[in-house]
Amino acid sequence: QVQLVESGGGSVQSGGSLRLSCAASGYTSRPYFMAMAWFRQFPGKEREGVASISTDTRTSYADSVKGRFTISRDNAKSTVYLQMNSLTPEDTSMYYCAASSQSWLQPPLVPGSYNYWGQGTQVTVSS
């Protein structure tokens, strides 16, 4: 069973930074995950894509986080990161890691494109 475990969430003041990590395990071949991504979900809203990255480090970002967030991956550690800078209260949300076994030239920021999900980590930004 494939598992994704997020860490690094927490509380920070506006303008601060956090780095989220997502460790993948439970698969038998590498690189099993062709794309990984971060999503977030606000109360009463659908899950929205934040950033994605392919195995050859092609990235995509939501317009709302471009220039502030950076996604990266360490394939040797089967881990993806999300560096979040210049955080605002509008970034407060539950953040989810996702992985796909499908090969994408440019990984989409669409939840239905990913077949494995973590449990989420809360990010709270205070003004």
Side-chain angles (χ1 to χ4, degrees), residues 84-104:
M84 305 186 295
N85 299 327
S86 302
L87 285 162
T88 72
E90 288 69 36
D91 295 314
T92 296
S93 186
M94 184 71 79
Y95 285 73
Y96 297 90
C97 175
S100 172
S101 54
Q102 184 171 349
S103 177
W104 298 99

Side-chain angles (χ1 to χ4, degrees), residues 51-117:
S52 67
I53 187 167
S54 67
T55 52
D56 61 354
T57 68
R58 298 172 191 254
T59 58
S60 296
Y61 293 94
D63 288 343
S64 59
V65 306
K66 282 181 181 177
R68 301 188 299 124
F69 291 11
T70 302
I71 189 170
S72 61
R73 66 188 297 160
D74 184 336
N75 287 337
K77 296 182 178 180
S78 300
T79 300
V80 65
Y81 305 97
L82 185 68
Q83 178 66 43
M84 305 186 295
N85 299 327
S86 302
L87 285 162
T88 72
E90 288 69 36
D91 295 314
T92 296
S93 186
M94 184 71 79
Y95 285 73
Y96 297 90
C97 175
S100 172
S101 54
Q102 184 171 349
S103 177
W104 298 99
L105 290 179
Q106 196 74 42
L109 292 175
V110 177
S113 299
Y114 297 84
N115 46 346
Y116 299 103
W117 292 86

Side-chain angles (χ1 to χ4, degrees), residues 9-57:
S11 297
V12 65
Q13 289 191 329
S14 184
S17 299
L18 284 173
R19 188 176 84 153
L20 305 182
S21 299
C22 172
S25 63
Y27 51 92
T28 58
S29 63
R30 294 182 180 182
Y32 186 81
F33 294 113
M34 307 307 289
M36 296 187 78
W38 289 95
F39 289 78
R40 63 188 181 185
Q41 189 166 19
F42 301 106
K45 301 288 187 179
E46 294 186 356
R47 200 165 291 187
E48 67 176 39
V50 175
S52 67
I53 187 167
S54 67
T55 52
D56 61 354
T57 68

